[in-house]
Amino acid sequence: MRNKILQILRESRDNYISGEEMADRLGVSRTAVWKHIKEMRAQGYDIESHARKGYVLKETPDALLSGEIAHDLQTSVIGQNIICHEEIDSTNNEAKRLAREGAAEGTVVVAECQTGGKGRLERQFFSPKGKGIWFSVILRPKFLPQEAPKCTLMAAVAVARAMAEFGLEPGIKWPNDLLYENKKLVGILTEMSAEMDGINYIVIGTGINVNIEQSEFPEDIRDVATSLCMMKGEPLPRVKFFQAVLRAMDDLYAQVQAQGFAPVLQEWRKYSITLGQEVKVIGVRDGEIYFGKAADIDEDGALLVDTEEGRKKVLAGDVSIRPRSGKW
């Protein structure tokens, strides 16, 4: 109902519309309209009222609300259903719960704040209220389970495309972190439920540091984390940036469904700051350490590292990658 009222106010532009007319169009009472408008004001909408004229929408908040995100989104799959939370433990946990209950493909779960957000290797992800974009997308693709890890690279490319739209030069560290000046901007975690021959669902969780100032990061990550506003030198409109990410992801996912991952991997290479670099490879399970040059990624999205002993194939879940010296 609230989104329908918002749509009527948007369509009226700068013209007042009476509560009675909105009530008639929506089939509810004027009191119900008034209550919804009161709630919308509490969310940050600047809705002006006049005793004889009615209501007019003056300004919308830069808040992660379904009505704002969905407005003029124009995607085919991703974002057709948007579920927003003020606070949640983890958007990935909630998306997995919804996926198990049959939530539609393309459902987006987004929160203003996460209390238990995690990235790869169970690392905690700092997710402060109103400062970033913390979201998860549910996919139900037709491709085989072994293709799923490449969805992480697809998501990284989607954020990189959005950054480019806002005049920011993206750089992807294999496989999925976006960095600026060797500091982390974005983290991505892909999780899957599958059988031997098919995928039940994939959940892609993405955390984007948008308007966090350096002093707002906890001391233990202040030297390794950064944000889009620090990169640009001014705050970014979170809703518009989020829409750009969702549109890019929707476009890439349609491309993957039609052509496979080859075009996505090629675009990933364009944004990569890992390829061509001397790297230190650290085994997550066995602690093995070796050095080499990051030569390419293969058709599976695995990193190919040229060492003195020959070329090695590196899988994302098995290792941690560091620059051998200096910065990416």
Side-chain angles (χ1 to χ4, degrees), residues 119-307:
R120 286 181 62 240
L121 310 178
E122 293 296 308
R123 297 188 181 112
Q124 293 294 319
F125 198 95
F126 179 57
S127 314
K129 185 174 181 179
K131 295 289 186 174
I133 302 171
W134 330 114
F135 76 102
S136 300
V137 176
I138 298 171
L139 299 179
R140 299 186 185 276
K142 302 300 182 184
F143 50 71
L144 294 173
Q146 53 264 37
E147 297 281 277
K150 286 179 275 190
C151 287
T152 303
L153 282 73
M154 178 184 74
V157 171
V159 179
R161 279 191 184 183
M163 287 177 62
E165 283 186 38
F166 281 76
L168 300 171
E169 186 175 346
I172 304 175
K173 170 197 166 188
W174 182 87
N176 60 342
D177 288 343
L178 276 82
L179 306 183
Y180 175 65
E181 294 184 342
N182 213 37
K183 295 183 178 182
K184 189 170 180 175
L185 287 161
V186 179
I188 301 168
L189 175 65
T190 298
E191 299 182 274
M192 174 179 65
S193 169
E195 311 298 334
M196 287 293 293
D197 58 350
I199 294 172
N200 298 320
Y201 63 80
I202 290 173
V203 168
I204 306 174
T206 306
I208 307 172
N209 299 335
V210 183
N211 292 328
I212 308 175
E213 299 292 344
Q214 185 174 22
S215 61
E216 295 174 312
F217 284 106
E219 287 189 14
D220 61 330
I221 62 169
R222 195 169 293 167
D223 292 336
V224 296
T226 189
S227 67
L228 298 180
C229 79
M230 291 171 63
M231 186 177 180
K232 193 172 179 63
E234 61 183 18
L236 273 74
R238 289 188 304 148
V239 171
K240 291 187 180 299
F241 188 84
F242 190 26
Q243 289 178 318
V245 173
L246 295 179
R247 290 188 192 108
M249 194 175 292
D250 189 69
D251 179 60
L252 288 164
Y253 185 54
Q255 187 177 50
V256 165
Q257 298 281 61
Q259 305 175 43
F261 278 95
V264 170
L265 298 182
Q266 189 58 38
E267 189 168 352
W268 184 95
R269 292 182 178 95
K270 182 180 75 173
Y271 295 120
S272 173
I273 54 175
T274 302
L275 299 184
Q277 300 294 315
E278 294 292 327
V279 297
K280 178 181 181 181
V281 181
I282 307 168
V284 172
R285 297 176 179 83
D286 56 16
E288 179 189 9
I289 296 175
Y290 60 88
F291 299 91
K293 184 175 182 179
D296 199 359
I297 53 173
D298 67 10
E299 61 183 11
D300 298 320
L303 185 66
L304 303 177
V305 179
D306 289 338
T307 72

